[in-house]
Amino acid sequence: MGQKVNPVGFRLEQIKNGPIWQSAWFASKKKYAGLIGEDKKIRDFVGNKLYSAGVVTIRIERSVKKIKITLLVSRPGLVIGRGGKELEQLKKDLIKLLGKNIKQNIELQVEEFKQPDLSAKLVAEKIAYQLTKRTPYRRAVLSAMERSIAAGAKGIKIILSGRINGAEIGRREKFSQGTVPLSTLKSHLDYHECPSATRSGYIGVKVYLCLA
């Protein structure tokens, strides 16, 4: 069975106590496209600004008078700062990003993600970072798989594609441990893909995590 869709989005309706909608709001046809673009702008900005804090998900909820942004991060101290200074600055930056015409109040909430080895996003970003620092790719991948299995994951699959190890010809390599059932909708899968900008070129990193 070929994987033509995002495994997380494909299973949102089926998984109980699993992933939830990252955007929760309703809009008319005229406003819908603009709000989708606004959500994308918020996620890109926050993801880049708080990269070192280990952002797992950014949930956006909208009402008539309020935009609630929930940040699930592995290091909440870096987001909040001393006395909440960093959080206040982030709020000001978001207001500036969205423009002066914004009518809703922005509310920021920070939650801690206690097991970073059980997030496909954090695992993929760590591998991508290690590849840019010229760490041997097998060591980076195998250590990531061992940590995830030790943290309680039922299985993990990692796919690298590109000029791996600086090779002249691009190739694709798969690594897996445990069970990762992609042909069923019952399993709770977490998935993320990101590029690693190495000196030889981009290497794509895909991580599938089976959590239940």
Side-chain angles (χ1 to χ4, degrees):
M1 181 181 178
Q3 282 78 55
K4 302 297 189 296
V5 297
N6 188 296
V8 177
F10 194 45
R11 292 169 171 81
L12 273 176
E13 291 287 346
Q14 283 75 20
I15 303 169
K16 293 181 180 178
N17 301 322
I20 62 173
W21 301 101
Q22 292 187 10
S23 291
W25 45 264
F26 177 82
S28 61
K29 288 183 180 180
K30 291 182 180 179
K31 296 181 180 179
Y32 188 81
L35 293 180
I36 285 284
E38 201 173 87
D39 282 9
K40 177 73 165 58
K41 195 188 291 186
I42 291 171
R43 287 201 172 89
D44 289 345
F45 175 77
V46 173
N48 292 330
K49 187 176 179 66
L50 304 178
Y51 181 81
S52 59
V55 180
V56 179
T57 55
I58 301 168
R59 301 179 195 136
I60 301 173
E61 300 172 45
R62 293 176 183 269
S63 62
V64 178
K65 297 181 180 179
K66 184 173 67 174
I67 300 175
K68 183 181 178 182
I69 302 172
T70 305
L71 307 175
L72 188 62
V73 297
S74 61
R75 289 176 235 167
L78 294 177
V79 182
I80 298 169
R82 226 178 239 188
K85 285 184 180 179
E86 294 295 329
L87 200 62
E88 283 299 319
Q89 184 59 45
L90 179 62
K91 187 175 179 179
K92 290 176 183 177
D93 292 340
L94 284 172
I95 293 171
K96 188 177 179 182
L97 177 75
L98 298 177
K100 296 179 181 178
N101 296 326
I102 186 169
K103 297 178 182 178
Q104 300 104 317
N105 293 321
I106 295 178
E107 180 185 327
L108 291 175
Q109 185 176 336
V110 182
E111 296 178 4
E112 184 182 4
F113 189 81
K114 294 181 180 179
Q115 293 181 305
D117 293 319
L118 293 181
S119 166
K121 183 176 184 292
L122 297 184
V123 172
E125 287 178 350
K126 188 170 185 178
I127 293 172
Y129 176 76
Q130 288 176 322
L131 293 177
T132 58
K133 296 299 179 182
R134 308 182 81 174
T135 303
Y137 72 98
R138 286 185 186 275
R139 186 194 299 170
V141 170
L142 294 176
S143 63
M145 290 197 300
E146 287 175 5
R147 285 194 302 270
S148 295
I149 295 296
K154 287 194 172 182
I156 181 172
K157 182 167 82 168
I158 298 173
I159 302 173
L160 302 180
S161 60
R163 293 184 60 187
I164 300 169
N165 218 20
E168 290 293 328
I169 300 173
R171 66 180 189 274
R172 197 163 179 256
E173 286 200 26
K174 295 181 183 180
F175 305 86
S176 63
Q177 194 172 338
T179 58
V180 185
L182 297 177
S183 57
T184 177
L185 297 179
K186 293 180 181 179
S187 57
H188 178 185
L189 282 180
D190 192 14
Y191 168 80
H192 188 73
E193 61 181 55
C194 66
S196 174
T198 66
R199 291 187 178 185
S200 305
Y202 276 97
I203 295 176
V205 181
K206 290 184 179 181
V207 176
Y208 297 81
L209 259 176
C210 181
L211 302 175

